[in-house]
Amino acid sequence: MAKMDKTQLTAVKLVAVVVTMGALAWASVPFYDWFCRVTGFGGITGVANAGSDVILDRTIKVRFDGSISRGMPWEFKPKVREMELRIGETGLAFFEAYNPTDRPVAGQASYNVTPYQAGGFFEKIECFCFTEQVLQPGERMDMPVTFFVDPAIVDDREAKYTKVITLAYTFYEIDMPEKQAALAQDSETGRNVN
């Protein structure tokens, strides 16, 4: 095997650095998502299968905010801006979405919780944000979110001072899911699909 000259060695090292950096960049997104879900960092909420078994006498206010990303043609807002509930109590809030266009529009909601340190204690049981949403032309829909604030918040060094939590959603337009796209195409051509 021939010995590499300095130029070839530099090129090999450079390729190795580029491949390593690409792998780290690729792995950073799922790792960051996992980290945020586990710790609540960045306002990421938890997901629960059921409500809390413990309900405290202490109350907390939950505020709701709704917005749309640039280019999203929907109207989207919370039906109630704020509610107060006991820590551990299951809450139910509704957001209203409206598609004023003459075409079906698919959307996905992203969300966060502020203050960030409260994110790990905000547990969603059911949420419209778990799935893609499709609104037909002129359709208006109430979208529910069922949640509770984990009683463990009162024992957290930073989060225990939280008096108000804001749950904010932003809807952005996505490509039409395959099933709805096929139904729309079939209705345009007049075919019936089972």
Side-chain angles (χ1 to χ4, degrees), residues 34-107:
W34 169 82
F35 175 77
C36 289
R37 289 185 191 282
V38 169
T39 64
F41 181 79
I44 300 294
T45 65
V47 177
N49 293 325
S52 175
D53 294 335
V54 176
I55 299 175
L56 306 178
D57 287 332
R58 182 175 152 190
T59 62
I60 195 162
K61 287 184 182 178
V62 179
R63 292 187 178 146
F64 305 100
D65 186 34
S67 63
I68 54 173
S69 67
R70 182 179 297 175
M72 176 56 150
W74 289 2
E75 294 172 14
F76 177 67
K77 64 182 180 183
K79 296 204 73 162
V80 173
R81 293 275 177 198
E82 182 179 283
M83 69 173 54
E84 188 169 349
L85 63 156
R86 293 185 297 163
I87 293 175
E89 180 181 7
T90 299
L92 174 63
F94 288 91
F95 286 73
E96 181 181 80
Y98 172 62
N99 177 5
T101 70
D102 60 355
R103 64 182 175 88
V105 176

Side-chain angles (χ1 to χ4, degrees), residues 17-194:
V17 167
V18 169
V19 169
T20 301
M21 295 303 287
L24 290 173
W26 175 82
S28 67
V29 173
F31 177 75
Y32 181 75
D33 184 58
W34 169 82
F35 175 77
C36 289
R37 289 185 191 282
V38 169
T39 64
F41 181 79
I44 300 294
T45 65
V47 177
N49 293 325
S52 175
D53 294 335
V54 176
I55 299 175
L56 306 178
D57 287 332
R58 182 175 152 190
T59 62
I60 195 162
K61 287 184 182 178
V62 179
R63 292 187 178 146
F64 305 100
D65 186 34
S67 63
I68 54 173
S69 67
R70 182 179 297 175
M72 176 56 150
W74 289 2
E75 294 172 14
F76 177 67
K77 64 182 180 183
K79 296 204 73 162
V80 173
R81 293 275 177 198
E82 182 179 283
M83 69 173 54
E84 188 169 349
L85 63 156
R86 293 185 297 163
I87 293 175
E89 180 181 7
T90 299
L92 174 63
F94 288 91
F95 286 73
E96 181 181 80
Y98 172 62
N99 177 5
T101 70
D102 60 355
R103 64 182 175 88
V105 176
Q108 179 73 53
S110 63
Y111 58 87
N112 71 3
V113 169
T114 53
Y116 293 142
Q117 61 267 26
F121 301 99
F122 195 93
E123 300 286 335
K124 293 181 187 175
I125 300 168
E126 292 288 334
C127 183
F128 60 88
C129 62
F130 294 162
T131 59
E132 300 166 333
Q133 303 293 326
V134 177
L135 292 182
Q136 298 303 315
E139 183 178 9
R140 187 177 303 273
M141 180 186 296
D142 286 344
M143 298 181 172
V145 56
T146 308
F147 64 93
F148 66 92
V149 177
D150 188 332
I153 194 171
V154 300
D155 298 321
D156 185 77
R157 190 174 69 203
E158 294 177 8
K160 68 182 175 183
Y161 301 109
T162 303
K163 304 265 188 257
V164 178
I165 295 175
T166 301
L167 175 62
Y169 289 96
T170 301
F171 253 106
Y172 56 94
E173 188 170 0
I174 60 171
D175 290 336
M176 190 66 64
E178 285 185 29
K179 185 176 180 181
Q180 278 86 3
L183 290 172
Q185 186 176 20
D186 290 335
S187 68
E188 287 175 10
T189 61
R191 291 187 310 175
N192 207 357
V193 175
N194 292 328

